[in-house]
Amino acid sequence: MCAAISIDPVTGRKLFATRAAKSSERIAGKGYSIISDKTLTTLPPPPPGAVFNAGEQRRYREFKEARAGAADYMAMEGQFARYLEDVYSEPPVPRDSLTDECEILVIGAGFGALLLWYRLMQAGFTDVRFCEKGGDVGGTWYWNRYPGIACDVESYSYLPLLEEMGHIPSVKFASGFEILEYCQSMAERFGFYERCLFHTTVQATTWDEASGRWLVETDRGDAMRARFVVLANGILTTPRLARIKGMETFKGEAFHTSRWNYHIDLKDKRVGIIGTGATAVQVVPEIAKVVKELFVFQRTPSSIDVRDQRATTAEEYATWPNEPNWAVNRRERHALISAGRSALQANDDFLSGKIASFKQKKQHERQLSPKELVAAQLNTNFRIMEQIRARVDAIVKDPKTAAALKPYYPYGCKRPTFHDEYLPTFNLPHVHLVDCAPGGVKEINERGVVHNGVEYPLDVLIYATGFEWMGTGSFNMIRGRDGRTLREKWESEGTRTFLGMHSAGFPNLLIMNGPQGGGGQFNFTRVSEMHANYVVWALETVKARGARSVDVTPEAEAAYAQHCAEMDLLSAPLRDCISYYNGDGKAKPGSLAYYGGGERWHKRRMEAQETMAPYVFD
Ligand code: NAP
């Protein structure tokens, strides 16, 4: 047997040492800087009398309609498959293929898997194995290491298991590098590394009815068996490229932001970046500091809100360790904030429990109908967007550039972004916004990007074109009872799950953070916690019943799918733009994320766990 796999003398189980070494010391960076200039860290007030009237509504509609059908993405296949290569770690550690059995096999080694492992351990489940495509833990934070990377949910509420780890993040919005190191510390502390097969991509997961086991096959030649399979492999995991004529001819260097190539030195280079979503907003200010010239190719501007980064204070370092459950309580308070912007701004006094409420709740004279409520929310939302637009005018000096940087859609409709250096970057003489609205970049040649007949020669081209949303790559290779894959089932019947956690015909398969999975708001760590607790409950319930497997009834999932569609339609006016949240305007209602809010999901979960009606035990 190869050194990467050994046997634990106490349990007799296999232990793995497959964590890859780091590929280069150049991979290092930071997130948001702390900015002291108050004009950059406060939003201007909304212009007086700002109302979302018919004229403004028309403007939003036209902005959206002009972009309809422009989104065109492709997978990284064929000659673009090289963009998927792991640039962060040394080649895979050699090991033997495995053909043995474990009780629980988890796909993924990000936040979801780390949290789940901790909960499983607490509940006494130890025959657990993880398979991870990357060379180390971290998931999103393993793959995304671009300059400027930071979390957008305050790190005191976002990082899991802070009390258990005795850790306090160094800043309010931690850099991705700090988060990755934190993941590594969790994995070391909780014995995760010994259970994880790194550089191992699951290629097929097939249910065997006779043995009541999943057969899990990987690209390392493994053919393992497991009673339970848990998908914890993320919802924005598969990078995508914009499909652009001539992109294969480009002779310079090119990569996607989720495989940042630090071997390419950007210093003194002419660099282009396609895309202006949450990633690009963090990347642009950082690379502008080193490149010779930067061209930002934009189809749709993001809303750039205030970040107001700050360091953790001496008082916080001193007091939090003495407050039992400080981070859990903070995360719970964070989950109480229902409006997206407030949650993401994260009022410190409220979150630390110093004040009971940070906002005057608006009292309406009478109970509003759902339609009136949405109209009122859209009005408030419009005023926030007016502030965001006023901020652009206040910061960006060139009026043409400022005009192009102003978004016209409801706040939160596309992923809101935050930065106090992004807008000022466009005042630098070597940074150019290339407004490609409404169609986007349509042509690349061997020298660079061509737009409106103008050629932009580039040394390096960076694709900040995002990821497939809720399209976890594994759905197309999980075969259930009737031989269909999960993707085939969803393509023919529409997305069908119960709570986002089960899908009928796929017994003992549990999905974390997948389509239709709710239980939290804005903070995916809370969703992961809820899902990890649910997985443990399901495993314990199967055990307590002496059952072989758990599945759900088709009726339960049909009713749940209808609920998801209704919730999606109800909140649609607040998400009325073209965004990956709605499959670039093409997704069937209810087929992607759960839009019912945390509490509704929990109500359904609790009902199910009380009545047990949706479940089928074998
Ligand atoms: P994204 O939001 O999907 O952005 C893709 C960008 O590419 C959009 O601006 C899109 O424009 C643009 N694009 C696509 N084709 C184009 C073309 N032909 N020409 C010009 N532009 C084109 O991807 P992302 O920025 O990587 O972010 C993905 C998600 O990852 C975020 O929403 C967030 O959830 C997560 N993320 C989180 C953080 C954080 O927490 N700190 C940071 C980064 C990312 P259109 O808008 O016009 O389609």
Side-chain angles (χ1 to χ4, degrees):
M1 188 171 287
C2 138
I5 303 175
S6 59
I7 303 285
D8 186 325
V10 180
T11 63
R13 290 199 188 106
K14 294 198 169 75
L15 297 176
F16 309 124
T18 63
R19 178 188 183 185
K22 195 173 164 181
S23 72
S24 156
E25 287 312 311
R26 287 192 211 171
I27 305 175
K30 61 180 188 65
Y32 301 116
S33 307
I34 296 170
I35 304 293
S36 51
D37 181 347
K38 282 284 158 215
T39 56
L40 297 177
T41 58
T42 35
L43 271 188
V51 207
F52 194 41
N53 58 27
E56 299 295 349
Q57 289 174 26
R58 190 178 333 107
R59 184 175 198 156
Y60 274 28
R61 218 168 26 247
E62 285 168 5
F63 191 89
K64 177 183 164 184
E65 281 165 9
R67 286 163 175 80
D72 186 12
Y73 291 98
M74 59 183 230
M76 292 178 185
E77 289 165 352
Q79 70 180 106
F80 298 107
R82 72 196 153 90
Y83 289 165
L84 282 175
E85 280 166 18
D86 183 351
V87 284
Y88 303 121
S89 58
E90 291 290 336
V93 175
R95 65 169 177 85
D96 291 341
S97 302
L98 293 164
T99 53
D100 58 348
E101 181 168 322
C102 62
E103 188 182 14
I104 304 159
L105 190 140
V106 184
I107 306 180
F111 269 22
L114 287 161
L115 244 169
L116 178 64
W117 166 235
Y118 185 78
R119 295 271 188 269
L120 287 171
M121 226 176 15
Q122 280 184 316
F125 291 98
T126 50
D127 189 6
V128 187
R129 181 172 296 177
F130 299 82
C131 289
E132 164 60 47
K133 184 190 289 199
D136 205 333
V137 293
T140 293
W141 303 102
Y142 175 84
W143 294 111
N144 289 280
R145 301 197 208 180
Y146 52 79
I149 186 166
C151 62
D152 272 351
V153 173
E154 65 133 25
S155 35
Y156 315 127
S157 298
Y158 178 65
L159 266 55
L161 303 174
L162 285 172
E163 283 100 352
E164 292 81 351
M165 290 291 293
H167 181 80
I168 296 176
S170 66
V171 283
K172 189 163 181 188
F173 299 96
S175 127
F177 294 88
E178 181 173 337
I179 300 175
L180 174 61
E181 279 176 24
Y182 181 69
C183 290
Q184 292 166 332
S185 312
M186 282 194 284
E188 270 156 14
R189 171 87 65 92
F190 302 133
F192 186 93
Y193 283 120
E194 292 83 334
R195 286 170 177 78
C196 188
L197 294 166
F198 291 102
H199 279 147
T200 299
T201 302
V202 173
Q203 291 183 319
T205 307
T206 314
W207 177 250
D208 176 37
E209 190 65 44
S211 62
R213 297 288 184 272
W214 286 102
L215 175 65
V216 180
E217 295 167 278
T218 76
D219 64 345
R220 302 293 295 272
D222 306 306
M224 303 172 281
R225 302 175 84 77
R227 261 190 91 190
F228 298 92
V229 167
V230 184
L231 303 184
N233 45 344
I235 36 88
L236 267 170
T237 324
T238 313
R240 59 185 190 177
L241 288 175
R243 193 193 316 273
I244 300 170
K245 192 179 109 205
M247 58 200 286
E248 69 288 349
T249 64
F250 180 60
K251 290 266 193 302
E253 304 276 9
F255 55 84
H256 185 271
T257 50
S258 68
R259 303 289 188 276
W260 194 275
N261 196 337
Y262 282 91
H263 298 284
I264 300 168
D265 189 356
L266 298 183
K267 194 166 179 302
D268 297 330
K269 301 266 168 51
R270 287 169 65 94
V271 177
I273 183 164
I274 299 181
T276 47
T279 299
V281 168
Q282 296 185 337
V283 167
V284 163
E286 283 308 303
I287 60 173
K289 291 171 189 164
V290 294
V291 302
K292 182 164 88 185
E293 217 163 357
L294 179 61
F295 297 90
V296 181
F297 298 97
Q298 172 190 278
R299 177 165 63 205
T300 313
S302 280
S303 61
I304 318 287
D305 206 334
V306 161
R307 173 68 304 160
D308 207 8
Q309 171 72 300
R310 69 168 178 83
T312 306
T313 63
E315 189 204 334
E316 287 164 342
Y317 278 122
T319 55
W320 286 349
N322 307 320
E323 292 172 20
N325 299 323
W326 73 266
V328 168
N329 292 339
R330 191 171 174 110
R331 182 150 48 247
E332 286 309 303
R333 285 187 211 106
H334 188 268
L336 289 175
I337 310 175
S338 59
R341 181 163 189 270
S342 311
L344 297 164
Q345 289 295 313
N347 180 295
D348 277 306
D349 287 341
F350 174 72
L351 291 175
S352 60
K354 285 186 185 150
I355 53 171
S357 174
F358 63 98
K359 233 179 150 187
Q360 284 281 306
K361 249 203 164 334
K362 210 178 200 171
Q363 293 297 330
H364 296 289
E365 278 165 14
R366 60 180 172 81
Q367 178 94 24
L368 300 184
S369 70
K371 222 173 148 188
E372 287 170 322
L373 197 61
V374 167
Q377 283 169 336
L378 278 171
N379 241 331
T380 309
N381 187 306
F382 177 73
R383 282 194 291 277
I384 293 168
M385 286 303 278
E386 284 286 274
Q387 291 180 268
I388 300 263
R389 291 186 279 263
R391 185 183 193 220
V392 179
D393 281 329
I395 296 174
V396 179
K397 295 200 176 103
D398 172 47
K400 202 167 151 223
T401 305
L405 283 166
K406 286 193 236 171
Y408 290 91
Y409 46 75
Y411 186 89
C413 184
K414 276 177 178 285
R415 170 68 143 90
T417 75
F418 305 84
H419 219 293
D420 301 335
E421 289 181 276
Y422 180 77
L423 293 172
T425 302
F426 291 97
N427 292 333
L428 300 172
H430 68 293
V431 177
H432 318 281
L433 182 75
V434 185
D435 183 11
C436 304
V441 175
K442 293 246 191 283
E443 189 184 344
I444 293 175
N445 66 19
E446 59 184 58
R447 288 174 298 278
V449 169
V450 181
H451 182 68
N452 270 350
V454 179
E455 186 182 86
Y456 298 88
L458 303 168
D459 302 310
V460 183
L461 177 57
I462 300 165
Y463 289 98
T465 46
F467 306 85
E468 259 185 66
W469 172 239
M470 295 287 164
T472 299
S474 53
F475 295 153
N476 59 0
M477 54 73 178
I478 301 169
R479 283 187 196 281
R481 272 199 168 117
D482 64 3
R484 274 191 308 176
T485 65
L486 198 51
R487 175 152 298 168
E488 284 163 354
K489 172 182 165 178
W490 289 352
E491 272 169 6
S492 72
E493 298 172 19
T495 309
R496 286 279 185 282
T497 74
F498 183 64
L499 299 175
M501 306 292 307
H502 307 258
S503 195
F506 295 79
N508 287 0
L509 177 79
L510 290 140
I511 308 167
M512 289 179 72
N513 296 333
Q516 302 182 341
Q521 260 162 314
F522 315 113
N523 184 358
F524 253 91
T525 303
R526 189 160 192 270
V527 181
S528 296
E529 275 182 330
M530 299 304 152
H531 290 189
N533 292 346
Y534 182 89
V535 170
V536 172
W537 170 84
L539 298 177
E540 283 179 330
T541 308
V542 173
K543 204 172 170 184
R545 292 187 162 229
R548 191 172 81 137
S549 65
V550 57
D551 201 347
V552 289
T553 66
E555 294 76 23
E557 65 174 18
Y560 184 70
Q562 192 183 338
H563 164 70
C564 291
E566 284 164 8
M567 291 300 108
D568 193 337
L569 289 169
L570 200 68
S571 59
L574 292 161
R575 292 180 290 105
D576 189 17
C577 69
I578 294 168
S579 144
Y580 69 80
Y581 289 149
N582 57 18
D584 296 309
K586 290 175 231 152
K588 278 193 199 145
S591 64
L592 297 174
Y594 179 74
Y595 294 115
E599 287 322 302
R600 283 200 189 87
W601 185 86
H602 282 296
K603 194 163 166 269
R604 288 188 170 242
R605 172 187 63 75
M606 286 188 294
E607 263 168 31
Q609 290 173 325
E610 260 165 43
T611 65
M612 299 301 276
Y615 303 104
V616 183
F617 292 95
D618 205 2

